[in-house]
Every structure is written in structure tokens, then in C-alpha cells.
Amino acid sequence: MIPRIALTPGEPAGIGPEICVKLSQHGSPAQLITIADPSLLERAAKKLGLPLQLISFSEDTPLSETAPGSLYILESPLKQPSLPGKLNTANAFYVLRTLEIAADGCQNGQFDALVTGPVHKGVINEAGFPFSGHTEFFAERAGVAQVVMMLAAQELRVALVTTHLPLKDVSTAITGKRLELITEILHGGLRDQFRIHSPHIGVCGLNPHAGEGGHLGREEIEVIQPALERLRQRGLHLTGPLPADTLFTPPQLEHFDAVLAMYHDQGLPVLKFHGFGKAVNITLGLPYIRTSVDHGTALDLAGTGKASCGSLEAALTQAIELAQLRKQQVI
């Protein structure tokens, strides 16, 4: 039941390499394979004054837990040496290559799950590679038409209908078809990955006061309510659309297994306030388990030794739990 977990540190100039080294100090009940340039991790460990043993990984490596102060390593070379806090477009392909190796390894069964550190979208795009985020990248590589971004912190889970879109484009993107598909993926993920038999999902409206009966917008009346009614007829347990400012209150949240927010900054500020530093980003709808940190590259902290590995540790813990549940299901 020991899972084999792939780990990508993300942007080499950010805090990813440091928090991977900090994470390694605790050991892991999984075989944790970091896909990275070994010199990057070694420099981070030296800077932090922490011990680090890198164990070369191959297909023939025996399955075992990861001892404290060590990481298994699947080498992927940097194009140029990386300096903490200094973005370099020359290393954008390196970042994408680590993601490709990890994703392909998950799809072919080499890894049981994937945990990702933070990437910097801007520098990847500046290097000439169109990139809107991990979630979209993995969906495209897996040939999946739609996935769902869900963040979890303690008992609160928040999924998104739209992710990395300008606010002006959100309303147009929320169609009945999209809303039905996203909700079904969320429902299936809660049922199949988290083993919640009949998930109860609270659904936010798009507009203030969920449209105030059409006076503050008609998306609830014309798109959201009809889509939710069609889903209810298929047996999904849904409540909404509800005003987001009242849905995200303790008396309401205690009724729901997850909340479905219409756009990125409607749901995630609440989630991150609730559990920043220990929240986990989970991608539902992929053919494999993928979790991630809830924060960015924090270039200002890179190289200072002050970055916390709390979210990465939470992401790894969640990935291990989901991988073990899946292994139990197969058995």
C-alpha cells in the first residue's frame, strides 16, 4: 500500500526547491520522486543548512518509504543555473518538461499521484509557451475536455466553474452545458475519490444577492437555475444558486460537502483565509490524482529560508490518502 508519488518543485527561482527540501526532512510513508535538476535541490539544501540525500530513481528502483532527509530524484536538467528570486525565461522549458514527465508517468502507471509546487505563468508565457496554469496544462496533455479545480482546507472544499479568466469574460463562459459538466465532475470526484456516498453541493450565484430576482443580473434565472434543475433530475443533491456572501458562513457551510463558486476570486479568497498555508489544490476529472500547493512562487521569499512547506505537506498528505483509497478500491 506504499504509494509512489511524483513531485515537481515548479519555478526554479521561486520557493519550490526550498519547500521540497524542508518537506524531505520529515520523511514520508510514500516513495516521493522529485522531478528536478539535482543541483537545484542540493543548492537549496546547502542554503538552508539541511541534510539531503538524493537517491536516483529508475523503473527498477524498489518500492519503499522515503526516509527523513532524503528524496528520490528523477533528473531533468536546467537550461541555465537558477538564482533565487530571479526569473529566467531560458528555464521555462525546464519547468514544462518536469510537468510533462510527471503527467506521463501518472498516465502510464509509473506514479500513483502527482504533487506540484508553484509555477510562474508569466515567465513561461514570456518564453513563448502559451500557459494558463497547471490545471489546463494537465487536462490538455491527458486529452480531457474538462477538469475541475477544487481547493480544500480542513472541512471546507471549494470548486470553480471558471478558473483563470478575466472577470469581464466570466459571465459569457458560464453556459448551462459548462455548468452541468463541471458539477457532474465535482460530484463524481467527491463520490469516487473522497468516498462521499451522496455529496451535497452548495452552488453560488454569479451576481450579488444571486441576482436579486433578476434585478441585479439574469444569469441565475436564465442559465444557472435551469442547469441545476436538470442536474437534480439526474439525482444530484444541489442547493442554490445562493448569494456567495451568505453561503460562505458557518451555518450554511455545515450542510455542504463542497461549494461550487462561479469564478476564481469568488471562492478562493474565502478558502485561503480559512486555511492559508495548509490548503490543497486538487484537480478533479483527470485520469490520475493531482494535488498542489495553494500559493505562488513567492519570489521575494526565495533564498531567505523563511518559506513554509505547510501547504506542500498538506498536498502530499492528501495525495497519499487519495492514492491509498484508490489502491484499496482496486484491491
Side-chain angles (χ1 to χ4, degrees):
M1 295 299 294
I2 299 173
R4 182 171 276 161
I5 310 291
L7 171 64
T8 57
E11 168 55 48
I15 62 172
E18 297 172 48
I19 60 177
C20 287
V21 171
K22 287 186 176 183
L23 178 73
S24 74
Q25 303 306 300
H26 310 309
S28 174
Q31 187 169 48
L32 192 55
I33 300 100
T34 308
I35 302 168
D37 189 313
S39 66
L40 185 67
L41 298 173
E42 289 167 347
R43 285 198 300 270
K46 184 177 180 180
K47 181 76 173 179
L48 293 167
L50 294 174
L52 180 66
Q53 178 188 14
L54 295 178
I55 306 166
S56 181
F57 174 81
S58 70
E59 293 182 358
D60 300 326
T61 302
L63 183 63
S64 65
E65 296 184 357
T66 306
S70 69
L71 287 170
Y72 289 86
I73 183 81
L74 184 54
E75 294 189 23
S76 182
L78 284 163
K79 183 71 173 179
Q80 294 181 3
S82 179
L83 297 175
K86 305 294 184 182
L87 295 173
N88 186 345
T89 55
N91 286 324
F93 179 76
Y94 157 82
V95 175
L96 295 178
R97 184 61 186 143
T98 64
L99 302 183
E100 290 173 348
I101 294 169
D104 293 350
C106 286
Q107 287 193 244
N108 66 28
Q110 183 179 27
F111 307 127
D112 296 307
L114 166 59
V115 178
T116 58
V119 296
H120 194 285
K121 301 181 187 70
V123 74
I124 296 174
N125 281 280
E126 287 170 13
F129 303 104
F131 184 84
S132 57
H134 276 116
T135 304
E136 297 83 358
F137 177 89
F138 292 134
E140 181 177 355
R141 192 156 188 88
V144 176
Q146 184 65 61
V147 293
V148 173
M149 178 189 289
M150 183 178 79
L151 271 80
Q154 300 164 27
E155 73 285 353
L156 178 60
R157 304 182 186 96
V158 178
L160 303 176
V161 177
T162 63
T163 53
H164 303 116
L165 285 179
L167 193 56
K168 66 182 178 61
D169 297 333
V170 169
S171 178
T172 304
I174 298 174
T175 63
K177 181 178 180 181
R178 181 188 184 94
L179 183 54
E180 289 182 56
L181 181 56
I182 293 288
T183 308
E184 287 182 325
I185 293 171
L186 172 58
H187 177 270
L190 293 170
R191 181 194 60 211
D192 299 335
Q193 288 197 33
F194 288 84
R195 304 294 182 87
I196 301 171
H197 176 66
S198 180
H200 185 187
I201 300 170
V203 182
C204 295
L206 172 64
N207 297 294
H209 300 182
E212 195 77 73
H215 296 288
L216 296 177
R218 297 193 57 82
E219 286 88 353
E220 286 78 10
I221 294 172
E222 296 175 359
V223 179
I224 300 174
Q225 289 177 0
L228 297 186
E229 187 54 39
R230 290 191 293 270
L231 290 163
R232 291 187 186 103
Q233 291 174 4
R234 295 177 215 161
L236 275 67
H237 189 189
L238 308 171
T239 298
L242 298 173
D245 62 344
T246 55
L247 195 162
F248 283 110
T249 59
Q252 289 278 4
L253 288 174
E254 67 182 14
H255 299 295
F256 304 124
D257 296 299
V259 172
L260 183 60
M262 292 295 123
Y263 57 94
H264 188 281
D265 281 15
Q266 181 184 60
L268 297 197
V270 181
L271 186 288
K272 292 190 177 185
F273 178 79
H274 179 74
F276 186 72
K278 295 185 179 179
V280 181
N281 187 344
I282 304 159
T283 306
L284 303 177
L286 289 172
Y288 53 86
I289 296 162
R290 181 257 170 165
T291 67
S292 184
V293 295
D294 71 339
H295 56 74
T297 54
L299 296 172
D300 58 326
L301 288 180
T304 68
K306 297 178 181 178
S308 169
C309 69
S311 182
L312 185 62
E313 190 168 12
L316 175 60
T317 298
Q318 182 73 85
I320 292 171
E321 290 175 356
L322 294 176
Q324 289 175 334
L325 282 172
R326 180 168 289 186
K327 281 178 175 289
Q328 291 169 5
Q329 190 175 22
V330 171
I331 292 172

